[in-house]
Amino acid sequence: MQSSGRQAETPGRGPRVLVVGGGIAGLGAAQRLCCHPAFPHLRVLEATARAGGRIRSERSFGGVVEVGAHWIHGPSQGNPVFQLAAKYGLLGEKALSEENQLIETGGHVGLPSVSYASSGGSVSLELVAEMARLFYSLIDQTREFLHAAETPAPSVGEYLKKEIHQHMAGWTEEEETKRLKLAILNNLFNVECCVSGTHSMDLVALAPFGEYTVLPGLDCTFPGGYQGLTDHIMASLPKDVMVFNKPVKTIHWNGSFEEASAPGETFPVLVECEDGSCFPAHHVVVTVPLGFLKERLDTFFEPPLPTEKAEAIRKIGFGTNNKIFLEFEEPFWQPDCQHIQVVWRDTSPLEDAAPKLQDAWFKKLIGFWVLPSFGRASQVLCGFIAGLESEFMETLSDEDVLLSLTQVLRRVTGNPRLPAPRSVLRSRWHSAPYTRGSYSYVAVGSSGDDLDLLAQPLPADGRGAQLQVLFAGEATHRAFYSTTHGALLSGWREADRLIALWDSHAQRPEPGSELGSAPRVPGSPGGRPHPFL
């Protein structure tokens, strides 16, 4: 297949590099490559009309809300997202304080300010704290099986349930309190589903769970919106590097493609877009979400991916975690309230309840975070919901969601006249055609080796033109998958891989060798990524 030539670069020295996807991994790779003199011919092909990918801040309710990434997880010196945000002046004083950077959270979500039960009225915060201590001590234990010869259960969920069952033997309260304890634990399971981006903790593999690395620092937000970070990176790129509304249909690799404007030169890769335009290249860095790769696996690469890499894509988990924002004229919560927990009394993590989604999807909602006030006229709660219930929520109308959650809030507060929210805004990451979910997790049947396998460039055999197709994105980082800092580091990793190749090529030119056919660089990244590049 030959390129059309009309979207081609002007011919010149240096490799042609295409980055597919304008999220933080793609932007990070592009920024790094643009700083190197060997890469004057670079394009980022973004399927949508905006950059940022799963970082998406929107002006709404009189302020800025995060439809995508919400917090910097582990904002400390080892976190490149934190470092860049500080460099660009995007963080508040508290987030930048040394004290904030030293706090060890263990990756656990903090306790709620108030806990409401589905029967109406509040739940004892002492009881919530007791159950949280139990739950998070067990979560910490799950991280100890990384190098174990065998695990007591295949999944995190099954391990937690076995341990809770044993702990229940020591509970001495009356039955009603025991049931309430289980309901609180059920909420904490659902919180962990949101953290892991999964429908059920039964889907998350136990052995590799401890490989995810938690950085120190109390999670913080961007006062002006997370997208300020990707906007700054994008602003640093040369004009015309970003190409928007350019979804890629197929990446043809291991070929020999020509174009009219570069007679006599051949390119090993041709990127064919959905609008029919084609871009020949020496190297392509693929940074699309794993959910998109899963859906397009059979058509996105030609020839198809090696069996082992395709299997890794199928095995690694990728789920949905959505947000629902509710705007109120007046707060019904206390001024110092930060986090409202919702506990459904009839639930237990030890029972597999499977009511119809339309009847009970809202029971998966873990509660609400109170957003910083946007002024007296607007008070906003942000709810989180993961899994199949979250995906079902995307199919409902705004009116249906607003009605259901108004009923939930009236029920749990015990106030049947609680004013309905005046508006709703929500994310729909599963429906987004170029995302198809939120982020990755290591599923039962997969391991950290699969993430490393996904990160390995093609062709895998080391023959022919080197580093034709490279892979970045949060699902390719073994220690920081599911995070923005993992995504950014992966983009830097692949940029550095190309830079090392071309530095090596420049130092040891081979007579007659083609651009893009440079020798393999000794020590190309493989195995566990360097955590702090």
Side-chain angles (χ1 to χ4, degrees):
M1 182 174 183
Q2 296 212 346
S3 75
S4 66
R6 58 195 167 89
Q7 291 283 350
E9 322 282 351
T10 51
R13 292 195 60 77
R16 297 209 198 159
V17 181
L18 292 173
V19 176
V20 180
I24 196 168
L27 294 173
Q31 186 182 48
R32 198 101 153 179
L33 290 169
C34 284
C35 291
H36 194 282
F39 300 97
H41 306 299
L42 175 75
R43 286 286 182 274
V44 178
L45 306 182
E46 166 54 41
T48 70
R50 53 171 287 278
R54 286 165 276 174
I55 293 173
R56 183 175 163 193
S57 310
E58 281 191 14
R59 294 207 71 80
S60 196
F61 314 122
V64 175
V65 296
E66 305 293 9
V67 176
H70 200 103
W71 290 279
I72 300 179
H73 294 296
S76 50
Q77 293 310 307
N79 186 324
V81 166
F82 174 73
Q83 290 175 320
L84 268 187
K87 174 186 162 185
Y88 293 137
L90 301 174
L91 298 177
E93 229 174 275
K94 187 185 173 197
L96 292 168
S97 70
E98 192 173 337
E99 179 190 7
N100 212 73
Q101 296 176 47
L102 295 174
I103 293 172
E104 294 281 357
T105 66
H108 305 323
V109 176
L111 292 172
S113 311
V114 61
S115 177
Y116 288 119
S118 54
S119 53
S122 57
V123 177
S124 155
L125 288 181
E126 286 77 14
L127 197 62
V128 171
E130 182 191 337
M131 288 302 96
R133 278 193 301 274
L134 169 60
F135 183 79
Y136 288 121
S137 71
L138 295 178
I139 284 283
D140 289 340
Q141 285 177 33
T142 64
R143 301 188 179 281
E144 295 169 7
F145 298 106
L146 183 57
H147 303 295
E150 56 182 85
T151 58
S155 72
V156 172
E158 288 162 275
Y159 174 79
L160 293 173
K161 287 186 274 191
K162 276 184 181 179
E163 292 294 312
I164 287 166
H165 201 78
Q166 290 178 1
H167 276 270
M168 282 176 63
W171 292 355
T172 55
E173 303 89 348
E174 68 276 11
E175 283 305 308
E176 191 179 343
T177 304
K178 288 180 183 178
R179 283 200 299 274
L180 182 56
K181 281 183 164 186
L182 286 171
I184 295 167
L185 287 168
N186 197 71
N187 173 276
L188 294 170
F189 268 75
N190 290 340
V191 168
E192 205 61 30
C193 286
C194 288
V195 171
S196 289
T198 184
H199 171 63
S200 164
M201 294 310 291
D202 290 357
L203 302 174
V204 180
L206 179 58
F209 194 61
E211 203 154 21
Y212 176 86
T213 302
V214 177
L215 296 172
L218 187 63
D219 291 357
C220 69
T221 57
F222 288 77
Y226 220 128
Q227 208 171 303
L229 179 65
T230 48
D231 287 348
H232 270 83
I233 298 174
M234 193 168 64
S236 74
L237 301 176
K239 192 169 169 279
D240 299 332
V241 163
M242 295 294 303
V243 184
F244 292 105
N245 297 306
K246 192 61 77 169
V248 169
K249 180 183 178 186
T250 305
I251 296 170
H252 303 268
W253 60 285
N254 234 9
S256 183
F257 305 101
E258 298 174 1
E259 102 177 323
S261 66
E265 187 168 10
T266 59
F267 302 87
V269 192
L270 185 76
V271 174
E272 179 189 0
C273 296
E274 287 184 8
D275 64 5
S277 59
C278 292
F279 294 76
H282 297 104
H283 310 289
V284 175
V285 185
V286 177
T287 72
V288 299
L290 178 64
F292 175 87
L293 276 184
K294 283 176 175 286
E295 186 173 75
R296 306 285 184 99
L297 188 55
D298 296 335
T299 58
F300 200 61
F301 298 96
E302 179 56 46
L305 292 179
T307 306
E308 207 178 15
K309 188 184 278 280
E311 271 304 299
I313 289 170
R314 288 190 188 97
K315 287 193 293 186
I316 301 167
F318 193 80
T320 304
N321 180 21
N322 275 314
K323 300 178 191 178
I324 307 173
F325 299 93
L326 300 175
E327 181 194 24
F328 295 83
E329 284 188 36
E330 296 289 338
F332 63 81
W333 54 90
Q334 295 299 312
D336 59 348
C337 180
Q338 294 182 316
H339 169 198
I340 299 167
Q341 181 185 50
V342 176
V343 173
W344 290 89
R345 276 188 173 270
D346 56 346
T347 60
S348 163
L350 306 181
E351 294 167 16
D352 291 326
K356 288 182 178 175
L357 284 175
Q358 60 262 40
D359 298 332
W361 66 268
F362 44 81
K363 290 187 179 183
K364 195 71 169 285
L365 190 83
I366 60 173
F368 300 89
W369 270 254
V370 180
L371 296 192
S373 177
F374 298 145
R376 299 177 81 181
S378 185
Q379 306 289 332
V380 182
L381 296 180
C382 174
F384 287 80
I385 182 169
L388 296 177
E389 293 85 353
S390 182
E391 293 169 12
F392 175 78
M393 179 276 297
E394 295 186 29
T395 70
L396 300 173
S397 67
D398 280 356
E399 292 73 23
D400 284 339
V401 172
L402 198 60
L403 180 63
S404 289
L405 295 191
T406 299
Q407 290 172 343
V408 167
L409 288 171
R410 286 174 176 169
R411 177 174 173 177
V412 301
T413 58
N415 178 3
R417 289 182 296 280
L418 188 80
R422 66 181 179 191
S423 66
V424 63
L425 173 73
R426 56 205 162 112
S427 61
R428 294 181 180 89
W429 288 109
H430 182 69
S431 306
Y434 302 109
T435 315
R436 307 301 281 144
S438 298
Y439 39 81
S440 62
Y441 61 93
V442 183
V444 173
S446 68
S447 73
D449 290 344
D450 290 310
L451 280 78
D452 280 347
L453 194 53
L454 180 54
Q456 288 305 300
L458 297 173
D461 61 8
R463 293 197 296 272
Q466 293 307 293
L467 304 184
Q468 292 176 25
V469 187
L470 302 92
F471 294 83
E474 51 85 14
T476 70
H477 200 296
R478 188 165 184 154
F480 296 140
Y481 55 86
S482 80
T483 65
T484 51
H485 53 277
L488 179 60
L489 283 169
S490 74
W492 287 355
R493 178 192 69 216
E494 297 312 307
D496 288 345
R497 206 190 289 261
L498 281 177
I499 289 166
L501 177 76
W502 283 88
D503 283 350
S504 161
H505 186 70
Q507 289 160 14
R508 298 195 305 275
E510 294 180 14
S513 69
E514 273 184 12
L515 285 178
S517 305
R520 176 175 285 279
V521 183
S524 285
R528 193 182 178 101
H530 302 293
F532 312 127
L533 292 171

